[in-house]
Amino acid sequence: MKESAQKVARHFLIELLMYAVLVSIYFALVLRFLGSWLDWLFRDHRDYYAAVSILIMLGQAVGLERVLALFSHIARGGKK
Amino acid sequence: MFFPISGVHINPFLLGILGFVIGVLAGFFGVGGSFLSGPSLFALGMPYNFVVGTDLIHIVGKSIVAARQHRTLGNIDLKLAGVMVIGTIVGSETGVQAIEGLKRSGEVNLVVGLTAIIIFTAISLFAGWESWQALRQSRRAGANPSGSRRDVLAFDKVAKAFQGFAWAPRIRLDQSGIAAISIWSIILVSYVGGFFSGFLGGGAGYIRMPAMVYLLGVPTHVAVGTDLFEIIISAGYGSIRHAMNGNVDILVALVMHTGAAVGAQLGARLTQYFSGPWIRLAFAPLPLLGGILIAVGLTTGHHH
């Protein structure tokens, strides 16, 4: 069933705020701890770099989707 | 901030915002958004070979989120996507090899940039004209285009002619409402899309999505969902190939994807408020914007 556009916008803004905080922490951690290791893989082990890159991206996609689903659930006050 | 893999300085929050905008477009239009993200990365100073690979891997992550949303809405034709993967992978490999050839000749930025400008401009003009015609048709027929999900195509006859190719084997696509279509028509469309995916970067949904609608006759909402699903497989393959060739900066891709993930959810939710011709009309100016960004990148002298 269609939700009203106003309701969608309100839920989305709440989700976005929670998400912005999480993403800022995530940026700091990933760029600080993974940056030099991935750079080393890129320079010296290109095949491993390719495999690791796609796995990290898939992991991040699935992980963020779950986090967003949780935030959406919270923003709607626990309703489906 | 310095990204050591590609050797560029880019503000990570700018990348996150760029990812968000592209994510909304991906969820709404069913395209990877590479007609904007690629040119934007290029305009930010990234060499074109890195633009192509990095954009492609970020699209893999983003499409998973958007495709799952579309699956929930019943917008994915799995049979069609399965056939398209064949043509896309072969086309993508052709595009990757073309990029490698241009890298060796040292002309990659100029040739790929000019090709992208021509393709993006043509798509914008065509999509704008077609959707405008379709809206006029639906108004004449007395339909309410803003409130209806019924799809109207100005190119209905072209789609019917394409479906009429008798080369065996022909398959039935229930989800798309197509009684019979040659498998070769689908493979041809996906091969062209795959080539541009490997050559210009991204999932090439800006070519494949309109081609599915106008040539194969797939309803816009199903084309959007199916294209996203197909992009996961084809762009995944292209990403691995580009990463092995040293064309992927995964750190840039990860940062962009954090914005794209949330944007894609919003875009997919918005599709339920618009009909097919309106979605296509809104899509029309975006590739042109991408073409302008590439022209800026080529003329500002970031790239040598």
Side-chain angles (χ1 to χ4, degrees), chain B residues 207-286:
Chain B
I207 285 183
R208 199 166 38 240
M209 202 275 278
M212 283 164 81
V213 174
Y214 301 128
L215 299 180
L216 301 182
V218 177
T220 306
H221 290 85
V222 178
V224 167
T226 306
D227 184 41
L228 278 165
F229 180 79
E230 205 260 346
I231 280 173
I232 296 169
I233 297 160
S234 56
Y237 173 80
S239 299
I240 292 171
R241 293 290 292 118
H242 273 300
M244 289 166 75
N245 288 327
N247 297 332
V248 171
D249 187 332
I250 185 64
L251 291 170
V252 170
L254 288 173
V255 174
M256 271 179 82
H257 175 258
T258 52
V262 71
Q265 298 239 348
L266 177 67
R269 282 183 215 170
L270 288 176
T271 55
Q272 59 188 311
Y273 299 99
F274 298 90
S275 68
W278 281 111
I279 292 176
R280 298 200 299 274
L281 186 64
F283 168 80
L286 299 174

Side-chain angles (χ1 to χ4, degrees), chain B residues 7-73:
Chain B
V8 292
H9 286 88
I10 307 177
N11 183 333
F13 287 98
L14 195 64
L15 282 176
I17 292 166
L18 175 64
F20 175 77
V21 174
I22 303 301
V24 173
L25 299 178
F28 189 68
F29 296 113
V31 293
S34 54
F35 53 85
L36 277 184
S37 57
S40 301
L41 288 173
F42 186 62
L44 287 169
M46 194 177 244
Y48 220 112
N49 57 308
F50 270 107
V51 167
V52 170
T54 304
D55 191 29
L56 204 55
I57 201 163
H58 132 265
I59 278 168
V60 175
K62 184 181 58 193
S63 299
I64 285 176
V65 180
R68 282 173 67 115
Q69 288 271 323
H70 277 281
R71 193 169 161 227
T72 312
L73 297 167

